[in-house]
Amino acid sequence: MSGMHLSKEFFELLKAIGESKSKQEEDRIIAREVAVLKRKMETPGGKKTTPYGPGSPGPQNALATNKKKAKEFLVRLLYVEMLGHDGSFGYIKAVEMAASSSIVHKKTGYLVCASCLSPDHEFRFMLVNQMQRDLASSHVLEVCASLIAVTNLITADMAPAVHGEVSKCLDHQAETVRKKAIIALHRLHQISPDVVTQSDLVERLRKVLCDRDPAVMGASLNAIESVASVDPVPFKDLVPSLISILKQVCEKRLPDAFEYHKVPAPWIQMKIVRILALLGKNDAQASNGMYEILSDCMKRADVGVNAGYAIMYECVRTITAIYPNPTLLDAAADAISRLLGSRAQNLRYLGLTGLAGIVEGHPKYAAAHQMAVIECLEDKDETIQRKTLDLLYRMTNPVNVEFVVDKLLLFIRGSQDPYLRKSLTSRICTIAERFAPSNAWYVKTITELFEISGEFVSADVAQNLMSLIAEGSGEGEDGEDSEEADMLLRQHAVEIYAAKLDGPKARLPRVLVETMAWVLGEYAYLSANYTLDDILVKLCDYTKTSSTLDPTTRKFLVSAIMKLVAQMGTCPSHAASVIDTYTKSRDVDLQQRCKEFQNLLTTAPHLLSEVLPVDASCEDVGVDENLSFLDGFVAEAVQNGAKVYDKPEDDDDEYGDDYGGAYGASSSAGAFKMTPYEKPTSPTAANFAMRGVGSVGSGPNAGVALPPSVGAGSDPYSHGGGTPMNQGATSQGSGEPQLVLRNVASVWGKGGLSQPGATAAAAAPPVAPAPAPAAP
């Protein structure tokens, strides 16, 4: 236990957390731990947690009496925070520990503060002074701890306070300090570009890139890559320097401490290669100097260890990113083939990813590795399978589209993952439409896709397929006449769909049944293997046996049956049975269709060919906007004494001009007026007088029309000895229209409509005033 530097309490806490069976049990454990930590981290003068022996200094907290446990308490507090509980009661102790003279306690305090304090927490500002002191310290470990804290704790408001000290650390004697200082300076640039400008950072990165210590130089590469990914222009002139550094690394001129499994500084090599990819993209001049070193680096990295394969992969990515060079692309393809042929799954995945990058810009390299990619499709690793499918999609071209689609369809048949099936279905539709070698192949492939993965096919795909069959491609294949080729395509589709009706019907997806019903209804007469009656029987049987059909799908089938009946000129019993059954359907649309069809059969069978013509799906329907076919009917009615229609003058029909005749003649009367309204005049005293607020007269009744019997000083609403208000009264001397209040008092009462008892008062009969008492 002592070797693990854990107390028994801490060990038991970790053990209990690891063995907890539920989140509730874990929460109870952490709640107890929070209570324990609160007791042990109380300020001096608080309650005692343990009895003190003779000669003890008195009640003090555990952090004050035992510095050895201070670190453990804060680490336990960190566990509390990591598991989602509040540990804010101990934040101040972490801030205090960051100011400790012990480097272990200082690093622990900085760690807890960086992990627990939110970016806007006020305690962060309490650490600024301490970080400034540590940055100026002569102790290397304190400076390093502070630089790490700067990258984790400093915000944009605090950046100016530490910028100067961090910049000074770039010239520190210790290479560890310089390495951490360049990382801290890059972080300050990220959070506050106004304090550390890009030009200032680029200048310092150029200087650090030439540092005498390889570790400091390697640290600067991270910042250079980050800045160059946004704006590579400031580093374009560094290409020769980076090539020189990479050459020295490949030739093992660095100390042996930088080697990893006999590979010299693999991380520095990969970082420089990635930077060269950024600087050489779309730049032939910069790329020209990279070709030789990239080829040499890729050859030296092929030593049979994972670190070397990683460098090879980065070289392949860079070769595909910079200005292309045929020799380098061939070398990259050879390196990829070795990765694809490896038995290690990680290397095969790396090869698939690299080949995808090559094929994206240079498709000609796909054919040489096609069989190796197909072998990866049979790998048991699901990740490799998905990557292979993605690569096959990228590798598809008019030459291999049939092979690739067959493999993708075969994979969908055995896959149970709905998300993967949906993705592959969409991709098959895309490449089939883009690279289809013939229309017949496209019809066959999409039909098979409908059958395998119909639930994931977009409705647009089915619509496009039906449009292709109906309209044709407009051009024949191998010099054939276009119309003849289109008829052969329709016959091919009919044979495919008629054969589907002989298979297991319950497994046919909705999109396939609807497409099949439409094609057979339109072009069943083209079939060489089936008669119209045979196909009609199949459709009727499918309609009867499939009880779970969607209402829309059932309409497609019934419409196809009606079309075939119209083409045959007679209605067999099995078709009549289906039509009769659905005249009682709950679907109103389907019921109406069947009843209308029955009426046609019984009353006008000769019109069937006109109502349901053969191969007329692409013909435009003529619309007579003037309804001229009714002219004879109208003329006959007028001769028999009917009145000619006369459009009302106030008819606001906005389409009158378009239809002419009587509509056009009266269109001017009801036309939309575009003249704007006149500007309203300013309100006058008369307007206010009409509202009862005018200045005419004075007193409570100013501006209100009074009955003639009411004098200037009397109350018009008085019941005592007064008379009801007269109608049509106007105020004396006004001459302007006034508000008329006739019969208001008699209907609504004295207070008008606003009085609570107005309704009741209006309903009650009038009460005569009490007679005056007789004189004594």
Side-chain angles (χ1 to χ4, degrees), residues 326-345:
T327 305
L328 272 183
L329 287 171
D330 292 339
D334 292 340
I336 288 298
S337 64
R338 290 194 293 275
L339 294 176
L340 289 174
S342 174
R343 294 184 179 181
Q345 292 180 333

Side-chain angles (χ1 to χ4, degrees), residues 288-367:
N288 191 38
M290 304 176 188
Y291 297 150
E292 182 180 354
I293 187 61
L294 288 174
S295 177
D296 185 50
C297 182
M298 191 163 51
K299 291 178 181 178
R300 291 176 181 269
D302 192 7
V303 293
V305 297
N306 288 340
Y309 291 132
I311 297 174
M312 287 175 57
Y313 172 70
E314 291 297 338
C315 290
V316 170
R317 289 186 59 190
T318 301
I319 290 170
T320 57
I322 63 176
Y323 198 82
N325 178 271
T327 305
L328 272 183
L329 287 171
D330 292 339
D334 292 340
I336 288 298
S337 64
R338 290 194 293 275
L339 294 176
L340 289 174
S342 174
R343 294 184 179 181
Q345 292 180 333
N346 291 339
L347 296 182
R348 297 178 74 180
Y349 183 86
L350 206 62
L352 291 171
T353 308
L355 183 58
I358 295 177
V359 169
E360 185 174 1
H362 310 279
K364 67 177 183 178
Y365 293 98

Side-chain angles (χ1 to χ4, degrees), residues 643-690:
K643 184 179 179 181
V644 178
Y645 176 72
D646 185 15
K647 184 179 180 182
E649 295 183 358
D650 58 346
D651 193 346
D652 58 350
D653 186 3
E654 59 181 333
Y655 302 106
D657 293 339
D658 298 333
Y659 289 94
Y663 292 93
S666 61
S667 61
S668 60
F672 186 75
K673 294 181 175 59
M674 301 299 295
T675 305
Y677 291 109
E678 296 181 359
K679 182 179 180 180
T681 58
S682 301
T684 62
N687 299 125
F688 290 110
M690 292 180 65

Side-chain angles (χ1 to χ4, degrees), residues 363-364 366-368 370 392 395-406 431 434-438 441:
K364 67 177 183 178
Q370 183 170 297
L392 281 175
M395 293 171 58
T396 307
N397 54 55
V399 177
N400 63 4
V401 61
E402 298 183 50
F403 178 77
V404 171
V405 169
D406 288 343
I431 61 179
R434 184 176 179 184
F435 301 111
S438 65
W441 178 87

Side-chain angles (χ1 to χ4, degrees), residues 683-735:
T684 62
N687 299 125
F688 290 110
M690 292 180 65
R691 294 169 174 81
V693 294
S695 59
V696 180
S698 61
N701 300 324
V704 181
L706 302 179
S709 60
V710 181
S714 62
D715 185 0
Y717 301 107
S718 175
H719 290 272
T723 59
M725 285 187 278
N726 234 348
Q727 299 181 3
T730 59
S731 62
Q732 298 294 332
S734 172

Side-chain angles (χ1 to χ4, degrees), residues 212-215 248-249 252-260 263-265:
R212 60 183 180 274
D213 188 270
Q248 295 179 47
V249 174
K252 297 186 177 182
R253 297 185 186 180
L254 297 186
D256 293 341
F258 288 90
E259 289 190 3
Y260 179 79
V263 179

Side-chain angles (χ1 to χ4, degrees), residues 115-416:
S115 302
C116 300
L117 297 182
S118 61
D120 57 347
H121 201 285
E122 58 185 5
F123 283 2
R124 287 190 178 228
F125 292 93
M126 300 172 62
L127 293 166
V128 174
N129 291 335
Q130 183 59 44
M131 283 189 285
Q132 288 177 330
R133 287 193 292 269
D134 290 339
L135 286 172
S137 174
S138 59
H139 198 303
V140 173
L141 295 180
E142 288 184 354
V143 178
C144 292
S146 181
L147 287 171
I148 295 174
V150 165
T151 60
N152 295 322
L153 288 168
I154 291 297
T155 60
D157 297 334
M158 301 156 59
V162 297
H163 172 222
E165 297 296 335
V166 172
S167 299
K168 292 178 183 179
C169 292
L170 292 174
D171 299 323
H172 202 279
Q173 295 180 353
E175 62 277 1
T176 305
V177 174
R178 298 198 302 273
K179 179 173 65 174
K180 297 183 184 301
I182 192 62
I183 297 174
L185 190 66
H186 178 227
R187 176 59 180 164
L188 293 179
H189 170 70
Q190 289 178 327
I191 63 177
S192 183
D194 296 335
V195 176
V196 182
T197 62
Q198 180 173 343
S199 58
D200 183 25
L201 180 63
V202 170
E203 181 182 354
R204 295 184 181 276
L205 286 174
R206 289 171 174 274
K207 179 181 178 181
V208 176
L209 185 63
C210 302
D211 194 277
R212 60 183 180 274
D213 188 270
V216 181
M217 178 271 299
S220 68
L221 295 175
N222 296 288
I224 292 175
E225 182 188 13
S226 177
V227 178
S229 62
V230 178
D231 183 16
V233 176
F235 302 100
K236 288 285 187 178
D237 58 339
L238 290 181
V239 171
S241 300
L242 293 170
I243 292 175
S244 176
I245 295 172
L246 182 58
K247 186 175 182 180
Q248 295 179 47
V249 174
C250 292
E251 294 176 354
K252 297 186 177 182
R253 297 185 186 180
L254 297 186
D256 293 341
F258 288 90
E259 289 190 3
Y260 179 79
H261 290 277
K262 304 299 182 181
V263 179
W267 286 274
I268 292 180
Q269 289 192 55
M270 288 187 286
K271 188 66 67 175
I272 294 177
V273 169
R274 283 199 289 263
I275 294 173
L276 292 177
L278 295 172
L279 302 181
K281 187 175 182 180
N282 300 327
D283 191 337
Q285 183 178 358
S287 301
N288 191 38
M290 304 176 188
Y291 297 150
E292 182 180 354
I293 187 61
L294 288 174
S295 177
D296 185 50
C297 182
M298 191 163 51
K299 291 178 181 178
R300 291 176 181 269
D302 192 7
V303 293
V305 297
N306 288 340
Y309 291 132
I311 297 174
M312 287 175 57
Y313 172 70
E314 291 297 338
C315 290
V316 170
R317 289 186 59 190
T318 301
I319 290 170
T320 57
I322 63 176
Y323 198 82
N325 178 271
T327 305
L328 272 183
L329 287 171
D330 292 339
D334 292 340
I336 288 298
S337 64
R338 290 194 293 275
L339 294 176
L340 289 174
S342 174
R343 294 184 179 181
Q345 292 180 333
N346 291 339
L347 296 182
R348 297 178 74 180
Y349 183 86
L350 206 62
L352 291 171
T353 308
L355 183 58
I358 295 177
V359 169
E360 185 174 1
H362 310 279
K364 67 177 183 178
Y365 293 98
H369 303 87
Q370 183 170 297
M371 295 310 301
V373 173
I374 295 300
E375 291 178 2
C376 293
L377 191 60
E378 300 174 359
D379 196 288
K380 296 181 180 180
D381 192 325
E382 186 177 349
T383 307
I384 293 181
Q385 288 181 353
R386 290 174 179 259
K387 196 66 181 178
T388 305
L389 293 170
D390 180 70
L391 180 57
L392 281 175
Y393 174 72
R394 295 171 181 265
M395 293 171 58
T396 307
N397 54 55
V399 177
N400 63 4
V401 61
E402 298 183 50
F403 178 77
V404 171
V405 169
D406 288 343
K407 289 295 181 180
L408 295 179
L409 289 173
L410 182 62
F411 189 84
I412 290 182
R413 288 183 183 275
S415 175
Q416 301 297 326

Side-chain angles (χ1 to χ4, degrees), residues 442-485:
Y442 178 78
V443 172
K444 174 179 175 297
T445 301
I446 296 300
T447 301
E448 186 176 356
L449 182 63
F450 285 172
E451 186 174 8
I452 298 173
S453 185
E455 64 273 21
F456 300 115
V457 177
S458 172
D460 294 339
V461 178
Q463 182 63 37
N464 293 339
L465 177 61
M466 288 186 283
S467 298
L468 174 65
I469 295 174
E471 300 175 5
S473 60
E475 57 182 9
E477 300 175 5
D478 299 329
E480 296 180 4
D481 180 67
S482 60
E483 184 61 31
E484 183 180 355

